[in-house]
Amino acid sequence: MARKPMMAANWKMNKTVREAREYTAALLPRVADAEGVDVAVFTPFTSLSEVARMVEDSSVIVGAQNFYFEDSGAFTGEVSASMLQDIGAKAVIVGHSERREVFGEDDEMVARKAARAVEAGLLPVVCIGETKEERDSGGMWDKVSGQVRRVMQEMDDGVDGEKVVFAYEPIWAIGTGDTASPEDAQDAIGKIRGLLAEVRDQDFADAVRILYGGSMKPDNVADIMAQEDVDGGLVGGASLEVESFEKLISAAAEDDS
Ligand code: 13P
């Protein structure tokens, strides 16, 4: 099954509203004819409504980097799915390793957020990945498969694979310049797809998009994209400048693996 590639910018905690506006204004004409690839931009909450307004008539998908699974109430500091949708968000990153490691989100919280996003009609980009210690000690698959299983346990049986995106982001490759080799990325992502077929079914596994994240850059994107099971990228550092993000988008559009 042909899955549409996705190239997603995760700005993390970067850019003022003015900077977000300048970036978006520069990005829009460059992606106007990016066919065959979903371009997504995950902004801080503060610039989300502005970017959503600017991309309204384009195919660019705008999303948040986090939310809480309850819809309203006494949850100081949190933002709900309906609040995100109210300002035009179409997608949300769930369980990024920085949320897990710095803010203590556990597998259960990540799973509940992923299920709630789908239920609300937001596309979740669910992040999974192992630390360097886990990889070195042979515990990579235990960690990653456990994360995936927990998410799928919470996800209703009827959910289509198109409604969910996973991002395999080995923690040791994030922001370090130390990218997983294309073979390692394929190995992990292929196994994740196999696991999804096992715990759900083949249709779901064939339809779900699985991105790679971790020091993806213009000079390594083509080799990573060329891997059969890699459906795109979730990019931090190299997405912050429009010029390099555009190169990543072009590479995803050209890939026919
Ligand atoms: P870098 O591309 O900066 O390594 O970040 C990857 C990431 O965490 C994207 O979510």
Side-chain angles (χ1 to χ4, degrees):
M1 178 191 285
R3 292 175 295 269
K4 190 174 185 184
M6 170 179 274
M7 195 49 72
N10 175 9
W11 289 356
K12 307 193 179 183
M13 196 170 73
N14 290 292
K15 297 194 190 297
T16 61
V17 174
R18 203 184 97 202
E19 289 163 345
R21 201 181 291 131
E22 285 166 5
Y23 178 105
T24 308
L27 178 69
L28 280 172
R30 297 172 193 234
V31 298
D33 8 276
E35 275 180 27
V37 52
D38 278 341
V39 177
V41 180
F42 292 91
T43 79
F45 291 130
T46 45
S47 29
L48 195 49
S49 60
E50 180 69 1
V51 175
R53 189 188 58 74
M54 290 178 77
V55 304
E56 209 168 23
D57 297 325
S58 78
S59 57
V60 174
I61 298 165
V62 65
Q65 298 169 14
N66 183 35
F67 81 113
Y68 191 55
F69 53 73
E70 296 289 355
D71 220 43
S72 62
F75 302 103
T76 302
E78 293 296 326
V79 168
S80 69
S82 55
M83 289 171 177
L84 293 180
Q85 290 169 305
D86 185 42
I87 57 167
K90 306 282 186 236
V92 64
I93 295 175
V94 172
H96 191 281
S97 61
E98 288 147 17
R99 301 271 347 141
R100 295 177 187 260
E101 304 234 309
V102 185
F103 302 99
E105 291 194 15
D106 61 13
D107 283 353
E108 182 187 341
M109 178 171 288
V110 172
R112 292 186 69 180
K113 288 183 176 191
R116 173 66 194 133
V118 173
E119 186 191 45
L122 278 172
L123 180 70
V125 177
V126 186
C127 302
I128 51 189
E130 82 287 0
T131 63
K132 177 100 176 75
E133 294 70 38
E134 286 159 345
R135 171 163 283 256
D136 290 348
S137 65
M140 172 267 183
W141 185 239
D142 261 9
K143 169 80 174 286
V144 171
S145 61
Q147 292 176 323
V148 173
R149 281 180 194 276
R150 189 67 191 80
V151 168
M152 293 312 295
Q153 241 173 34
E154 210 69 36
M155 198 72 71
D156 277 352
D157 278 351
V159 170
D160 290 338
E162 290 90 12
K163 304 282 191 226
V164 187
V165 175
F166 281 93
Y168 170 63
E169 300 206 304
I171 295 169
W172 46 270
I174 295 178
T176 57
D178 197 8
T179 325
S181 68
E183 294 72 26
D184 283 346
Q186 167 57 34
D187 182 57
I189 291 177
K191 276 164 88 172
I192 294 164
R193 201 179 300 288
L195 177 64
L196 291 170
E198 184 192 317
V199 299
R200 188 54 55 103
D201 56 43
Q202 195 62 49
D203 281 353
F204 184 95
D206 284 342
V208 76
R209 287 178 290 183
I210 311 177
L211 315 181
Y212 168 80
S215 299
M216 188 180 249
K217 299 189 265 305
D219 66 3
N220 61 28
V221 61
D223 288 345
I224 297 173
M225 284 303 303
Q227 304 300 313
E228 190 184 334
D229 283 293
V230 178
D231 299 318
L234 181 59
V235 189
S239 77
L240 291 175
E241 299 294 332
V242 174
E243 288 68 28
S244 67
F245 188 45
E246 184 191 13
K247 289 187 182 139
L248 303 180
I249 295 166
S250 305
E254 280 157 24
D255 179 64
D256 56 6
S257 65

